[in-house]
Amino acid sequence: MAKSSADDEELRRACEAAIEGTKQSIVMSIRVAKSRGVWGKSGKLGRQMAKPRVLALSVKSKGQRKKAFLRVMKYSSGGVLEPAKMYKLKHLSKVEVITNDPSGCTFTLGFDNLRSQSVAPPQWTMRNTDDRNRLLVCILNICKDVLGRLPKVVGIDIVEMALWAKDNTPVVTTQRSTEDGGPVAETVTESDLKVTVEKELVSQAEEEDMEALLGTYVMGIGEAEAFSERLKRELQALEAANVHAILESEPLVDEVLNGLEAATNIVDDMDEWLGIFNVKLRHMREDIESIETRNNKLEMQSVNNKALIEELDKVIERLRVPSEYAASLTGGSFDEADMLQNIEACEWLAKALRGLEVPNLDPIYANMRAVKEKRAELEKLKATFVRRASDFLRNYFASLVDFMVSDKSYFSQRGQLKRPDHADLRYKCRTYARLLQHLKGLDKNCLGPLRKAYCSSLNLLLRREAREFANELRASTKVSRNPTVWLEGSTGSSQNANTDTSAVSDAYAKMLTIFIPLLVDESSFFAHFMCFEVPALAPPGGAGNDKKSQSNNDDGNDDDDDLGIMDIDETDKKTGKNSPDLTALNESLQDLLDGIQEDFYAVVDWAYKIDPLRCISMHGITERYLSGQKADAAGFVRLLLGDLESRVSMQFSRVFVDEACHQIERNERNVRQMGVLPYIPRFAALATRMEQYIQGQSRDLVDQAYTKFVSIMFVTLEKIAQQDPKYADILLLENYAAFQNSLYDLANVVPTLAKFYHQASEAYEQACTRHISMIIYYQFERLFQFAKKIEDLMYTITPEEIPFQLGLSKMELRKMLKSSLSGVDKSIAAMYKKLQKNLASEELLPSLWDKCKKEFLDKYESFVQLVAKVYPSENVPGVTEMRGLLASM
C-alpha cells in the first residue's frame, strides 16, 4: 500500500515555508483534488476537472487561547506551494461526505461565514478512504479540543470513524534502559510522538460497553431460538419483579395518601382564614379611601375659598373709582397745566373699561350685578368726559383761528408779502394731541364733529391767507401786457411781443412755493393730530419737496410729528381697496382746503391776461410740483395741483391756441393774395418765443399747440391756393419754402416741428414739379405731345410699325422738329421769363430755374431715345447740344 501524503515530511516543510511569518504551526498536511462538479450528473468539462491542492491544518497559540485554521495551498508555475485560501475552523459548521461518489473519498466542508451561500462549496477528493478518515478525524479532534464543539457530520457514522481511528493508530516501539541496564520495550502510539496529542472521540468506559453489547449481539447470531426464549424469560421475570415491588410498596402509598389528605385539610383552613382576612382588609381599604376623599374635598374647598377671596379682592379693586380721577373726569379743567392729570384719568378710565370686558374679565364675572352696575357707572363717566372735552376743543379751535384772523399782522399787506406761519397754532394744538388720542379710544364717534370743527375754523384762516397773499402778489408785480393777437394784424402789433414777462411766471411759482408745502404740512398735521389710521409714507424727495422742507424750516415746524398721507388712487393700486379711514381723511381734507383753489385760479387768469405764452412756463412749474408731490402730498393737494394744471392747459389750448387758429382761418376770407402769407413768418416768431418758455414737462402742451397751429396753417394755405388755380402752385411753393426757411433752426431741435418741416418740404417739391411741368409744356407742347403718342403706341405695336401710323410718319416728325426746335433759344428764354413773371420771392428763382432745366433735359432725353428706336434714320439735335445751349443761357 502506498504511503499517505499525510506522512510526507517534505510536504509538511513546504507548507511551513509557505506560511512562514504567520506564527502558525502545521498539524497535518495532505494532498487533495479540488473540484466543483456534481457526481452522477453531466456537466461542462471545465467544471469537473480536478485541480491539485494541499490542505493544511494549522494552529496558532496566544497565551491560553488557541486558534485553528484550514489552509488551501496551490502550486505556482514553478512548482512551489503558495497560500491560496484560509478558513477559520471556528466557522466550520458542517462536514458532508458526498454519497454520489461510489468510492466515498469526496467530501465538502461548510462554513457559516461565506459571503455567497448560493454558490456550491468546493469538493475535496482524497486518494482513498484512509486519507479521508485521517483528515476528518484530525479536524474533529481539533474542533473538540480547541473549540469545545463538533460540527455536524453528514454521510458517515461517527462510531465507525472512532473504531477506524482505534484500529489504524500506528504503534511505535522504542527502547529505554532501566537502572540495572537492561532494555525494556515501551509502546508509544504515533499520536503521542507528535507535538499535538489527538484526543479520543469516545471514552474508555463507553468503548467497553459498546464491545460488550457487540459481543452479546454476535454471540446470539447463530442461536436465534435460544436467544428469543431467553429474552421472553427475562421479560417475564422483569414484569413479575415490577408487580412484586408494587405490592410491597402499598403501606408506603397509604401513608403518603394520609399525609396528602391532612395537608389538604390544613390548606382548606388556611384558605378560609385568608378569605376572612381579605374581607376585613377590603372594608378597611374602603374606609381609608372614604376618609382620604373627604379630606381632599376639604383641602380643595379651603384652596378654592382662598382663591375666591383673592379674586373678589381683585374685582373690588377693579370696581373702585379713585376720587381724584372721578373729579377730573366729571368737572376738571382743560387748561394746559391740568392736562397731565386729565390724561392720567383718561388712561385709567380706558384701562378700567377694558378690564370689565370679557376677554380681560372672566365670563362668570361679566354677568354679576356689581360688575354691570360698575360698567354702567364707567360708561356714564366716559360719556360725561367725552362731551365736556369735545365742547372745549370745538370752542378752542374757533378761538385760536378768530384770534389770528382778527390780527392783520398775520396776513400780507400793501407793499409787504407775508409768508403764512402756523408754528404757534400747531404748538398750541399739540398740547391736546394726546387728549384726542384718548378720546378716540373712548369714543370714535366723537372725532367726527371735532374734525369738522377744526376743518371749518382752519379753512377760514387758509382762505384768508391765500386771498391776501394772491392780491398783494398781483399788485406788487409790475409788467406790461403782451399782445394776444400773434398771427393776425399789422406787423407793428407784434413788435411789443418781446416784452419781458418772466415776473408773471415767477409770481405764480412763488405762490406755489409758499402754499403747496404749507397745504401738505397742514394735511399731514391734520391726519396726525386727528388720529387718522393711515399708512406713513417715505421721506420726501424731489424738487417740490426741497422747497417744502425749506418752508418747514422757515416755519420752525417739528417734522417728527407730521405724517404724510397717501393719495386714495395710490392706496387703491396697492391694497386693491379703499380703507374707510383714508376715505374719511380725504373727505375731511376737502372740507379743510376747499375754496383755496379759487385764489390760485385768479393768479392763473391774471397771468394769462398779461402774457398768454406764460401758460407754458406755469404748466411746467405745476407739473414739476405735481411730480414732486406724488410721494408725500395729501390727496386734496394733488387734486389741487391737477386742477391747476388743467386750468393752465385750458387757458392756453382752448383760449389762446383756438383764438390763434381763428386768426389764421380769417386769412381765407381775404381778397386774392400773392406771395408769402403773413401768418407764416409770424408763426416762426411765435414758436421761437414758445420754446423759450418751455420748462420741465410742458413739452407735450407746446407740441399739441404746434400740431394744431401748423395743421390749420397748411389747410388754410391749400384753401387760399384753390381760389385761383392759375397761380395756386406759385402760392404754395412760395409759402412752403418760407415755412421751411423760417423754421429751419427750430426743426433741428424740435421733433414735432421737424415732422411738419418734412411735410412742407414734400409739398414744396410737388408744387415745384407741377409748376415747372406746366411751363415746359406751354413752350414745347407739340414736341412732348408727339413723344406721348409714340409712348402710347409702343404698348400695342412694335417700334417699326409706328412710322406708318397716321400723324406719326417721318414727314410729320420733321415738321414737328422744325416748328419746336427752330428757335429753341428763344423758347427757353420765354420759359425763363414766364417762370420769373409771377414769382414774388426772387430768392427762389435760381433754384426753380435749375429744377426747370433739369426737368426739361430729362424729358428731352426721353424724347431722343424714343426717336432713336422708332426713327433710327432721322437726325435729332442731341442731348449734349441741348445741355450746352441751356448752360450758355
Side-chain angles (χ1 to χ4, degrees), residues 218-249:
V218 173
M219 183 179 62
I221 291 177
E223 304 171 359
E225 295 180 0
F227 184 67
S228 176
E229 289 296 330
R230 177 182 173 184
L231 288 178
K232 289 179 180 180
R233 287 195 301 271
E234 290 181 355
L235 178 60
Q236 291 175 359
L238 183 59
E239 290 177 352
N242 289 337
V243 172
H244 185 267
I246 290 172
L247 293 176
E248 286 182 349
S249 61

Coordinates of all heavy atoms in Angstrom, one line a residue, residues 218-249:
V218 N -23.3 -10.6 18.8 CA -22.6 -11.5 17.9 C -22.8 -13.0 18.4 O -23.1 -13.9 17.6 CB -21.1 -11.2 17.7 CG1 -20.4 -12.3 16.9 CG2 -21.0 -9.9 17.1
M219 N -22.9 -13.1 19.7 CA -23.0 -14.4 20.3 C -24.3 -15.0 20.0 O -24.4 -16.2 19.9 CB -22.8 -14.3 21.9 CG -22.8 -15.7 22.6 SD -22.5 -15.5 24.3 CE -23.9 -14.5 24.8
G220 N -25.3 -14.2 19.9 CA -26.7 -14.8 19.6 C -27.0 -14.9 18.2 O -28.2 -15.2 17.9
I221 N -26.1 -14.7 17.3 CA -26.5 -14.7 15.9 C -26.8 -16.1 15.4 O -27.8 -16.3 14.8 CB -25.3 -14.0 15.1 CG1 -25.3 -12.6 15.3 CG2 -25.6 -14.3 13.6 CD1 -24.1 -11.9 14.6
G222 N -26.1 -17.0 15.9 CA -26.3 -18.4 15.4 C -27.4 -19.1 16.2 O -27.7 -20.3 15.9
E223 N -27.9 -18.6 17.4 CA -28.8 -19.3 18.3 C -30.0 -18.4 18.4 O -30.3 -17.9 19.5 CB -28.2 -19.6 19.6 CG -26.9 -20.4 19.5 CD -26.1 -20.5 20.8 OE1 -26.7 -19.9 21.8 OE2 -25.1 -21.1 20.9
A224 N -30.7 -18.2 17.4 CA -31.8 -17.2 17.4 C -33.0 -17.7 18.3 O -33.5 -16.9 19.1 CB -32.4 -17.0 15.9
E225 N -33.3 -19.0 18.2 CA -34.4 -19.5 19.0 C -34.1 -19.5 20.5 O -34.9 -19.1 21.3 CB -34.8 -20.9 18.6 CG -35.4 -21.0 17.2 CD -35.7 -22.4 16.8 OE1 -35.5 -23.3 17.7 OE2 -36.2 -22.6 15.7
A226 N -32.9 -19.9 20.8 CA -32.5 -19.9 22.2 C -32.4 -18.4 22.7 O -32.8 -18.1 23.9 CB -31.1 -20.5 22.4
F227 N -32.0 -17.5 21.9 CA -31.9 -16.1 22.3 C -33.3 -15.5 22.5 O -33.5 -14.8 23.4 CB -31.1 -15.3 21.2 CG -30.9 -13.9 21.6 CD1 -30.1 -13.6 22.6 CD2 -31.5 -12.9 20.9 CE1 -29.9 -12.3 23.0 CE2 -31.3 -11.6 21.2 CZ -30.5 -11.2 22.3
S228 N -34.2 -16.0 21.7 CA -35.6 -15.5 21.8 C -36.2 -16.0 23.1 O -36.9 -15.3 23.8 CB -36.4 -15.9 20.6 OG -37.8 -15.6 20.7
E229 N -36.0 -17.3 23.4 CA -36.5 -17.8 24.6 C -36.0 -17.1 25.8 O -36.6 -16.8 26.8 CB -36.2 -19.3 24.7 CG -37.0 -20.2 23.7 CD -38.5 -20.1 24.0 OE1 -38.9 -20.0 25.2 OE2 -39.3 -20.2 23.0
R230 N -34.7 -16.9 25.7 CA -34.0 -16.2 26.8 C -34.6 -14.8 27.1 O -34.9 -14.4 28.2 CB -32.5 -16.0 26.5 CG -31.7 -15.3 27.6 CD -30.3 -15.2 27.2 NE -29.6 -14.3 28.2 CZ -28.3 -13.9 28.0 NH1 -27.6 -14.4 27.0 NH2 -27.7 -13.1 28.9
L231 N -34.9 -14.1 26.0 CA -35.5 -12.7 26.1 C -36.9 -12.8 26.7 O -37.3 -12.0 27.5 CB -35.5 -12.0 24.7 CG -34.2 -11.6 24.1 CD1 -34.4 -11.0 22.8 CD2 -33.5 -10.6 25.0
K232 N -37.7 -13.8 26.3 CA -39.0 -14.0 26.9 C -39.0 -14.2 28.4 O -39.7 -13.6 29.2 CB -39.8 -15.1 26.2 CG -40.2 -14.8 24.8 CD -40.9 -16.0 24.1 CE -41.3 -15.7 22.7 NZ -42.0 -16.9 22.1
R233 N -38.0 -15.1 28.8 CA -37.9 -15.4 30.2 C -37.5 -14.2 31.0 O -38.0 -13.9 32.1 CB -36.9 -16.6 30.4 CG -37.3 -17.9 30.0 CD -36.4 -19.0 30.5 NE -35.1 -18.8 30.1 CZ -34.6 -19.4 29.0 NH1 -35.4 -20.0 28.2 NH2 -33.3 -19.2 28.7
E234 N -36.5 -13.5 30.4 CA -36.1 -12.3 31.1 C -37.2 -11.2 31.2 O -37.3 -10.5 32.3 CB -34.9 -11.7 30.4 CG -33.6 -12.5 30.6 CD -32.4 -11.9 29.9 OE1 -32.6 -10.8 29.2 OE2 -31.3 -12.4 30.0
L235 N -38.1 -11.1 30.2 CA -39.2 -10.2 30.2 C -40.2 -10.6 31.3 O -40.7 -9.7 32.0 CB -39.8 -10.1 28.9 CG -41.0 -9.2 28.7 CD1 -40.7 -7.7 29.1 CD2 -41.6 -9.2 27.3
Q236 N -40.5 -11.9 31.4 CA -41.5 -12.3 32.4 C -40.9 -12.1 33.8 O -41.7 -11.6 34.7 CB -41.8 -13.8 32.2 CG -42.6 -14.1 30.9 CD -42.8 -15.6 30.7 OE1 -42.2 -16.4 31.5 NE2 -43.4 -15.9 29.6
A237 N -39.6 -12.4 33.9 CA -39.0 -12.1 35.3 C -39.1 -10.6 35.6 O -39.3 -10.3 36.8 CB -37.6 -12.6 35.3
L238 N -38.9 -9.8 34.7 CA -38.9 -8.3 34.9 C -40.3 -7.9 35.3 O -40.4 -7.1 36.2 CB -38.4 -7.6 33.7 CG -38.2 -6.1 33.8 CD1 -37.3 -5.7 34.9 CD2 -37.7 -5.5 32.5
E239 N -41.3 -8.4 34.6 CA -42.7 -8.0 34.9 C -43.1 -8.5 36.3 O -43.7 -7.7 37.1 CB -43.6 -8.5 33.9 CG -43.5 -7.9 32.5 CD -44.4 -8.5 31.5 OE1 -45.0 -9.5 31.8 OE2 -44.5 -7.9 30.4
A240 N -42.7 -9.7 36.6 CA -43.0 -10.2 38.0 C -42.3 -9.4 39.0 O -42.9 -9.1 40.1 CB -42.6 -11.7 38.1
A241 N -41.1 -9.0 38.8 CA -40.4 -8.2 39.8 C -41.1 -6.9 39.9 O -41.2 -6.3 41.0 CB -39.0 -8.0 39.3
N242 N -41.6 -6.3 38.9 CA -42.3 -5.0 39.0 C -43.6 -5.1 39.8 O -43.9 -4.3 40.6 CB -42.6 -4.5 37.6 CG -41.3 -4.0 36.8 OD1 -40.3 -3.7 37.5 ND2 -41.4 -4.0 35.5
V243 N -44.4 -6.2 39.5 CA -45.6 -6.4 40.3 C -45.3 -6.6 41.8 O -46.0 -6.0 42.6 CB -46.4 -7.6 39.7 CG1 -47.6 -7.9 40.6 CG2 -46.9 -7.3 38.3
H244 N -44.3 -7.4 42.1 CA -44.0 -7.6 43.5 C -43.6 -6.3 44.2 O -43.9 -6.1 45.3 CB -42.8 -8.7 43.5 CG -42.5 -9.0 44.9 ND1 -41.5 -8.4 45.6 CD2 -43.0 -10.0 45.7 CE1 -41.4 -9.0 46.8 NE2 -42.3 -10.0 46.9
A245 N -42.8 -5.5 43.4 CA -42.4 -4.2 44.0 C -43.5 -3.3 44.3 O -43.6 -2.6 45.3 CB -41.4 -3.5 43.1
I246 N -44.5 -3.4 43.4 CA -45.7 -2.5 43.6 C -46.5 -3.0 44.9 O -46.9 -2.2 45.7 CB -46.6 -2.6 42.4 CG1 -45.9 -1.8 41.2 CG2 -48.0 -1.9 42.7 CD1 -46.6 -1.9 39.9
L247 N -46.6 -4.4 45.0 CA -47.4 -4.9 46.2 C -46.6 -4.6 47.5 O -47.2 -4.3 48.5 CB -47.6 -6.4 46.0 CG -48.5 -6.8 44.9 CD1 -48.6 -8.3 44.7 CD2 -49.9 -6.3 45.1
E248 N -45.3 -4.6 47.4 CA -44.6 -4.4 48.6 C -44.6 -2.9 49.0 O -44.5 -2.5 50.2 CB -43.1 -4.8 48.4 CG -42.9 -6.3 48.4 CD -41.4 -6.6 48.3 OE1 -40.6 -5.6 48.0 OE2 -41.0 -7.8 48.5
S249 N -44.9 -2.0 48.1 CA -44.9 -0.5 48.4 C -46.3 0.0 48.8 O -46.5 1.2 48.9 CB -44.4 0.3 47.2 OG -45.3 0.1 46.1

